[in-house]
């Protein structure tokens, strides 16, 4: 199967950009990863400005891009190797996701991608034509907005309490917990994963499935060959920017006490619109030698990069420098993320000059291969 450079470029852009948001979930208690006001010490004007900038340009954008590309990858594998092989890949991804989310870090998305992919596959959605896929994608995405919409109504009409900031004592306890005994962390991460199953069933599945199916629809309509024209791309970008500007204003008015940039329904729409504008730009720039030399290798090693980000950041904040956990400002954390991104750019370019695929990509493909006994049975039946 011939690789399309624009898909690798977009995937590389997405997996590197994800770290710009995940860095806060690595360095802060997971329940406060998307909050500005999460401890009693207060925040600086710089932290507030960076938080607003992340709402406008970063929050959810790269995960949405990754989700779009996951749907495309599913279709390409289904088309080239068939349903059984794709199903095995998704089962193995479920296992990788469980191990990642329970043993390493609570912010795992691999399990949710895999479960969504399995449901989409078993219901035969991949075989629909572009128009039917687009209609189903819109319907699923709308279903996924119901819970965020109900929460928005709740915030509007009920005197909801803001997120409680951590006191000095509870902050110290969180720091001690996440840099202390490993088994206790695993138990809490397991409980968090179980709770996420509820969120997955109510909203996350529908949003993910809608975006995946949209990705397949766009691929079948050859959108990944042309993208949007310049005017449409700019409209999508600035419309998303304007929508998120409303969220920034509401955050300011409410004292940043509700983490609105991840819960409001229109933010999901803004994430999708801006992700599409990013993808369109990269599609039209796909002949750029810099993108092919640096971003495309990262796209080919996206699985390895995603897991390595977790390994290195967990080691950094919980083992090597536990004093950095829940103590760094947003600028310093973004500096760490940028340093990690540069390191991964260099690593991927060097690695793929010596090997055909990333180590975890190789392992995943190897595990997903058809068992020899099954191949022999099929050969005899033929």
């Amino acid at each position: 199967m011939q690789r399309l450079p624009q898909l690798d470029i977009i995937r590389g852009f997405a997996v590197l950009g994800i770290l710009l948001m995940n860095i806060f979930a690595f360095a802060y208690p997971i329940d406060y990863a998307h909050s500005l006001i999460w401890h009693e010490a207060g925040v600086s004007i710089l932290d507030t400005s960076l938080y607003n900038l992340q709402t406008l340009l970063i929050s959810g954008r790269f995960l949405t891009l990754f989700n779009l590309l996951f749907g495309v990858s599913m279709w390409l594998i289904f088309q080239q190797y068939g349903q059984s092989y794709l199903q095995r890949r998704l089962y193995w991804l479920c296992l990788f996701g469980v191990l990642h989310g329970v043993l390493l870090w609570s912010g795992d998305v691999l399990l949710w991608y895999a479960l969504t992919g399995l449901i989409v596959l078993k219901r035969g959605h991949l075989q629909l034509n572009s128009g039917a896929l687009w209609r189903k994608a819109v319907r699923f995405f709308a279903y996924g907005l119901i819970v965020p919409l109900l929460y928005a109504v709740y915030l509007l009409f009920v005197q909801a309490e803001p997120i409680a900031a951590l006191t000095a004592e509870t902050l110290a306890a969180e720091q001690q917990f996440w840099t202390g005994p490993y088994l206790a962390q695993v138990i809490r991460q397991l409980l968090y994963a179980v709770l996420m199953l509820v969120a997955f069933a109510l909203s996350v599945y529908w949003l993910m499935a809608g975006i995946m199916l949209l990705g397949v629809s766009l691929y079948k309509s050859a959108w990944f060959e042309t993208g949007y024209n310049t005017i449409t791309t700019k409209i999508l970008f600035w419309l998303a920017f304007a929508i998120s500007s409303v969220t920034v204003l509401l955050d300011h008015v409410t004292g940043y006490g509700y983490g609105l940039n991840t819960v409001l329904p229109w933010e999901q729409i803004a994430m999708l619109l801006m992700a599409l504008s990013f993808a369109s730009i990269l599609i039209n720039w796909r002949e750029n030698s810099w993108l092919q030399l640096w971003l495309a290798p990262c796209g080919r090693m996206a699985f390895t990069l995603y897991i390595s980000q977790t390994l290195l950041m967990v080691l950094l904040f919980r083992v090597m420098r536990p004093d950095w956990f829940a103590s760094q400002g947003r600028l310093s954390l973004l500096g760490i993320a940028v340093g990690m991104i540069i390191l991964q750019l260099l690593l991927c370019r060097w690695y793929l000059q010596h090997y055909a695929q990333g180590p975890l990509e190789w392992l995943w493909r190897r595990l997903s291969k058809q068992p020899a006994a099954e191949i022999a049975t099929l050969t005899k039946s033929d």
Side-chain angles (χ1 to χ4, degrees):
M1 180 171 59
Q2 183 180 4
R3 300 188 73 97
L4 298 178
Q6 58 267 42
L7 298 183
D8 286 331
I9 289 169
I10 297 169
R11 190 180 294 108
F13 179 74
V15 74
L16 294 174
I18 285 171
L19 184 58
L20 295 175
M21 278 307 298
N22 281 353
I23 186 67
F24 304 104
F26 290 128
Y28 296 156
I30 189 69
D31 292 333
Y32 296 87
H34 301 293
S35 303
L36 176 63
I37 310 296
W38 58 275
H39 57 79
E40 290 183 334
V43 293
S44 66
I45 294 176
L46 177 60
D47 274 358
T48 303
S49 300
L50 289 174
Y51 183 84
N52 290 338
L53 190 63
Q54 288 155 21
T55 298
L56 293 169
L57 297 175
I58 298 174
S59 178
R61 276 68 172 162
F62 299 101
L63 274 174
T64 301
L65 262 182
F66 208 76
N67 203 347
L68 278 170
L69 267 294
F70 192 88
V72 175
S73 297
M74 282 178 53
W75 163 245
L76 292 174
I77 292 170
F78 176 83
Q79 187 181 41
Q80 184 77 11
Y81 300 108
Q83 180 166 333
S84 296
Y85 176 74
L86 175 56
Q87 186 170 287
R88 287 194 297 273
R89 281 181 68 87
L90 292 171
Y91 282 141
W92 280 110
L93 190 63
C94 281
L95 178 59
F96 284 126
V98 169
L99 295 177
H100 179 237
V102 174
L103 300 182
L104 292 177
W105 177 59
S106 301
D108 172 73
V109 295
L110 300 178
L111 176 60
W112 316 119
Y113 282 159
L115 290 175
T116 302
L118 283 168
I119 296 171
V120 165
L121 178 64
K122 288 181 178 295
R123 294 183 67 85
H125 296 328
L126 292 180
Q127 301 173 59
L128 299 174
N129 62 39
S130 177
L133 280 165
W134 189 88
R135 291 189 293 273
K136 193 170 288 291
V138 171
R139 188 162 68 249
F140 280 16
F141 192 79
Y143 293 159
L145 294 179
I146 292 174
V147 171
L149 180 61
L150 291 175
Y151 183 70
V153 171
Y154 169 77
L155 291 179
L156 182 63
F157 292 104
V158 179
Q159 294 296 319
E161 291 294 323
I163 299 170
L166 293 172
T167 64
E169 292 76 13
T170 53
L171 177 58
E174 285 290 308
Q175 290 171 324
Q176 185 176 9
F177 179 86
W178 289 111
T179 59
Y182 174 64
L183 181 58
Q185 296 174 25
V186 169
I187 293 172
R188 185 181 291 190
Q189 287 168 171
L190 176 60
L191 294 174
Y192 188 87
V194 172
L195 289 175
M196 272 297 298
L197 281 172
V198 179
F200 176 78
L202 292 176
S203 181
V204 174
Y205 162 73
W206 300 104
L207 290 170
M208 282 191 166
I211 294 169
M212 284 182 194
L213 294 178
L214 176 60
V216 182
S217 175
L218 290 171
Y219 184 85
K220 288 187 175 184
S221 63
W223 180 81
F224 283 96
E225 297 293 332
T226 60
Y228 295 119
N229 60 41
T230 303
I231 294 176
T232 303
T233 301
K234 288 181 178 179
I235 289 173
L236 290 176
F237 177 87
W238 289 112
L239 180 57
F241 192 92
I243 293 171
S244 291
S245 296
V246 175
T247 302
V248 169
L249 178 61
L250 289 174
D251 261 331
H252 176 74
V253 170
T254 57
Y256 295 90
Y258 298 94
L260 298 179
N261 62 4
T262 58
V263 299
L264 293 177
W266 57 78
E267 271 304 305
Q268 298 294 333
I269 297 171
M271 293 171 192
L272 179 56
L273 295 178
M274 192 167 286
L276 288 171
S277 73
F278 286 162
S280 181
I281 292 170
L282 293 171
I283 289 167
N284 286 291
W285 288 359
R286 64 184 180 274
E287 301 301 328
N288 183 289
S289 59
W290 190 92
L291 296 180
Q292 294 200 20
L293 285 173
W294 295 100
L295 280 184
C298 294
R300 291 172 59 189
M301 293 180 60
F303 186 23
T304 296
L305 293 191
Y306 179 72
I307 298 297
S308 67
Q309 287 173 4
T310 299
L311 282 171
L312 291 176
M313 293 299 100
V314 168
L315 284 173
L316 176 64
F317 291 110
R318 298 186 191 177
V319 179
M320 297 169 61
R321 293 304 304 262
D323 55 308
W324 285 4
F325 184 81
S327 66
Q328 300 298 304
R330 303 186 82 83
L331 182 61
S332 60
L333 291 178
L334 286 173
I336 292 171
V338 170
M340 180 67 175
I341 288 171
I342 293 171
L343 177 65
Q344 292 194 321
L345 284 166
L346 294 170
L347 171 66
C348 289
R349 186 172 177 189
W350 171 84
Y351 189 91
L352 291 179
Q353 288 174 347
H354 298 83
Y355 303 96
Q357 57 187 157
L360 288 183
E361 285 75 14
W362 174 86
L363 177 62
W364 189 16
R365 186 171 185 175
R366 183 90 178 201
L367 291 171
S368 303
K369 281 186 175 180
Q370 202 166 16
E374 187 176 338
I375 293 173
T377 302
L378 288 173
T379 303
K380 290 178 182 178
S381 64
D382 289 342

